Amino acid sequence: MDGVIILEILQQLANGLALGSAYALIALGYTMVYGIIQLINFAHGEFFMIGAYAGVLAIKAGLPLYAAFPAAITAGALISAGVEKIAYKPLRKKNSGRLAALITAIGISIFLQNVIFLIPGADLIGLGTKNPMGIEKYVFGSVEISGTKVYIFLISIILMIIFIYIVHFTKSGKAMRAVSADRDTAMLMGIDPDRIISFTFALGGALAGAAGLLFALDQNQVSNFMGLMPGLKAFIAAVIGGIGSIPRAMAGGLILGLMETLAVVLGFSQFKDAFAFIFLIIILILKPAGIFAMARKEKV
Amino acid sequence: MLKLTGLHISYGKISAVKGIDLEVAPGEIVTLIGSNGAGKTSILKSISGIIPAVSGSILFEGREIKNMKAYEVTALGIIHVPEGRGIFPNLTAMENLEMGGYLKKNAFVRDKIDEVFQLFPRLKERRKQRAGTFSGGEQQMLAIGRGLVADPRMMLLDEPSLGLAPIIVQNIFNIIRQLNEEKKITILLVEQNANLALRVSRRGYILETGSMVKDGLSSSLMNDDGVRKAYLGG
């Protein structure tokens, strides 16, 4: 009996961490874009979806997993930077304000969800037995944990480490932080903010694309609406962490993933989506700047 | 080296700078003095391309730079050290200095940062700390140091004395003189502290509510009755 409970807890923990780390990957794109141009990019979930399609189509074409990830990442980066260039940049140049950009983001989101219908049968593609992650299980003594969840968690962590390296140690990453702190002064350094904004979108889109493929492998399918819920959840993760901050977005993602899994464990699996939104509402009422802002304030 | 002619700057319908002329010759320190809101900062910002000029011309070595983007102006070697220092608080001192050399090669930037550390040993001690935790004086050193990494031919310094203790101000002004004499950097210095600014500069311009009211050698401006009354405390 005890063994079963431990197994259940470990399996759920793995589920929660896998889900949470995937949310964290998506949330990073939200938080970075917000940090640099103060836009809540509601089309971000669709970059996740496009990345998933690219990865799944690569796998269906017979490419191995290590080639499918670059495909998902590249597709996510290209669509993200492309949307920025076509839709957001012209608005920025005309100083049309934050609301116009926000509505545009929602419009892009709906457009990308529906443009998939142009290709018959593309709105839902199953991987079937081609899923390279299969149904492996890891056995630790008497405990079994699903391999896919472990992979999702590990790949997410590796991607986040690479991402942190880029943001902190490369010239473009430093320039990104400089532009988000003070765009005018960054220009005085010789930085072209438009290039850095493109770079930011590409980086966020790349992470979303990778997360999309992870989700697709877990669900064994892709669909044109698959970005909607994870996109909203990741937005919630970024907000509960405190939007604009990279480590807090990651923490927010993990917390949300674990919370949602907890809801399932407690028997509310039908309500797990509602759970995330209730959590968001509670955070917004109690601490609109994010849960970590509260912890910080108490210290001072 | 730098020549402004009939420069007009406005914010919406309010004109901040009403057709001023100003010239800086190579190797000079020229100061622009005026009270708060006279338009000094606007002039520097329009030279460096942060805000557009409505009309007039800005020539740098004979080339019109009025409509250039700020990052293009920087590439020409005009380095603007903004008011309130404008350091990146979320970046470490070292990262701030590296951003100064954004357009330069890595090896060059490393050498320049070593030079900056010789000039400001304090920055070397604190290089790994976030610039937001620095004192006002340290931030000013960092802002000037960051400008130097870009290997400027001309520096635009906006109120380097602002909010600093007198002893630190003296130190900063010694450095400004040193940069001009040893590194041959031409300097346009904007200041409210007219006394210090006139002592360090060769020539000066006096700006009042967007118009130039007087200009000349700093030594003669210091002895001018009007300037003394208005800016040097009698």
Side-chain angles (χ1 to χ4, degrees):
Chain A
M1 187 64 193
D2 278 357
V4 174
I5 291 171
I6 290 170
L7 183 139
E8 178 69 18
I9 290 172
L10 279 180
Q11 176 64 65
Q12 294 299 347
L13 196 63
N15 289 349
L17 288 175
L19 188 64
S21 56
Y23 285 158
L25 282 182
I26 316 169
L28 285 172
Y30 271 109
T31 213
M32 271 194 303
V33 164
Y34 186 81
I36 208 153
I37 55 170
Q38 286 76 50
L39 165 71
I40 302 290
N41 179 20
F42 275 118
H44 194 63
E46 274 53 62
F47 306 160
F48 161 96
M49 178 265 291
I50 301 276
Y53 268 88
V56 163
L57 291 176
I59 290 168
K60 292 208 93 165
L63 291 172
L65 195 55
Y66 59 79
F69 269 103
I73 285 169
T74 308
L78 287 178
I79 186 78
S80 178
V83 164
E84 194 281 322
K85 204 173 186 67
I86 293 165
Y88 303 147
K89 190 176 165 189
L91 291 173
R92 203 165 59 241
K93 295 294 160 202
K94 286 180 183 158
N95 285 324
S96 45
R98 287 163 70 167
L99 188 60
L102 188 71
I103 293 164
T104 302
I106 294 169
I108 293 284
S109 170
I110 295 168
F111 172 76
L112 290 176
Q113 282 167 13
N114 289 287
V115 78
I116 307 284
F117 282 117
L118 290 178
I119 309 162
D123 54 309
L124 183 74
I125 299 173
L127 262 174
T129 51
K130 281 199 168 173
N131 192 337
M133 282 195 175
I135 44 156
E136 280 177 71
K137 288 201 188 295
Y138 287 88
V139 180
F140 304 99
S142 63
V143 175
E144 276 180 10
I145 287 175
S146 129
T148 312
K149 304 292 182 192
V150 177
Y151 281 133
I152 291 177
F153 182 62
L154 290 180
I155 293 171
S156 301
I157 296 292
I158 291 167
L159 288 171
M160 280 188 253
I161 290 168
I162 294 171
F163 167 79
I164 289 170
Y165 174 84
I166 291 172
V167 171
H168 281 272
F169 298 105
T170 67
K171 204 170 186 177
S172 297
K174 289 171 195 173
M176 198 176 101
R177 287 183 288 140
V179 172
S180 78
D182 185 338
R183 199 184 300 181
D184 281 351
T185 305
M187 281 201 282
L188 295 178
M189 306 293 112
I191 298 171
D192 175 355
D194 285 330
R195 280 182 58 181
I196 297 301
I197 291 167
S198 288
F199 172 75
T200 306
F201 270 85
L203 199 57
L207 292 178
L213 180 55
L214 289 172
F215 257 69
L217 292 171
D218 190 39
Q219 311 275 314
N220 213 30
Q221 65 180 39
V222 283
S223 73
N224 60 329
F225 292 122
M226 70 179 284
L228 184 63
M229 225 7 119
L232 285 174
K233 298 279 184 60
F235 165 64
I236 295 174
V239 172
I240 62 180
I243 198 151
S245 153
I246 285 166
R248 292 185 207 172
M250 291 194 281
L254 286 172
I255 290 171
L256 190 68
L258 289 168
M259 292 275 299
E260 239 186 81
T261 309
L262 181 71
V264 173
V265 173
L266 294 176
F268 300 107
S269 55
Q270 305 273 355
F271 299 99
K272 70 178 167 58
D273 291 342
F275 212 77
F277 292 103
I278 291 167
F279 192 43
L280 173 69
I281 291 166
I282 293 172
I283 294 292
L284 286 180
I285 292 169
L286 295 180
K287 205 59 231 177
I291 29 182
F292 300 106
M294 178 162 62
R296 217 174 233 193
K297 231 177 202 173
E298 282 172 352
K299 239 187 251 172
V300 179
Chain B
M1 191 171 202
L2 180 75
K3 190 172 186 199
L4 313 184
T5 328
L7 187 71
H8 262 279
I9 304 166
S10 58
Y11 296 97
K13 283 182 181 160
I14 302 154
S15 29
V17 174
K18 303 155 190 164
I20 58 108
D21 298 334
L22 180 150
E23 199 165 347
V24 185
E28 268 191 317
I29 299 184
V30 171
T31 188
L32 177 57
I33 294 166
S35 53
N36 225 343
K40 309 185 297 294
T41 297
S42 300
I43 292 174
L44 291 195
K45 281 186 173 172
S46 74
I47 297 170
S48 61
I50 295 271
I51 56 170
V54 177
S55 62
S57 93
I58 305 174
L59 295 179
F60 182 63
E61 298 182 321
R63 182 173 174 186
E64 181 60 70
I65 62 167
K66 193 179 75 171
N67 294 319
M68 279 193 184
K69 300 221 163 67
Y71 50 87
E72 296 166 340
V73 174
T74 300
L76 297 176
I78 303 179
I79 303 302
H80 179 176
V81 178
E83 187 184 14
R85 304 177 269 277
I87 50 115
F88 302 114
N90 53 337
L91 269 58
T92 65
M94 192 68 184
E95 288 170 340
N96 266 277
L97 294 172
E98 287 168 3
M99 284 297 106
Y102 185 77
L103 297 172
K104 307 283 177 187
K105 294 228 164 22
N106 287 346
F108 180 86
V109 172
R110 270 195 298 277
D111 289 350
K112 280 286 166 191
I113 290 177
D114 283 342
E115 275 179 40
V116 170
F117 284 157
Q118 277 172 20
L119 208 56
F120 302 109
R122 184 82 185 127
L123 293 181
K124 189 173 185 180
E125 287 168 31
R126 301 201 65 181
R127 67 186 179 281
K128 290 185 178 158
Q129 292 171 29
R130 279 176 182 234
T133 66
F134 282 25
S135 70
E138 289 166 342
Q139 290 189 5
Q140 188 62 61
M141 290 173 196
L142 182 58
I144 292 175
R146 187 180 61 183
L148 290 174
V149 178
D151 195 25
R153 302 180 49 222
M154 178 169 198
M155 276 183 120
L156 312 175
L157 300 176
D158 197 352
E159 303 251 18
S161 76
L162 193 73
L164 301 183
I167 187 158
I168 296 167
V169 171
Q170 195 54 58
N171 182 8
I172 298 275
F173 273 75
N174 288 340
I175 297 272
I176 292 171
R177 189 177 278 139
Q178 198 183 334
L179 294 178
N180 177 252
E181 285 169 6
E182 291 172 16
K183 300 197 191 286
K184 310 292 174 211
I185 300 171
T186 307
I187 291 171
L188 175 57
L189 170 70
V190 153
E191 260 301 337
Q192 279 194 63
N193 189 332
N195 207 342
L196 264 173
L198 288 173
R199 265 191 282 154
V200 77
S201 59
R202 200 180 82 84
R203 289 189 304 117
Y205 289 82
I206 313 280
L207 188 71
E208 273 175 19
T209 56
S211 306
M212 288 298 188
V213 290
K214 210 164 264 173
D215 68 88
L217 289 171
S218 299
S219 49
S220 52
L221 287 173
M222 279 170 96
N223 293 317
D224 182 286
D225 278 348
V227 174
R228 290 175 72 97
K229 275 210 182 82
Y231 298 99
L232 301 171

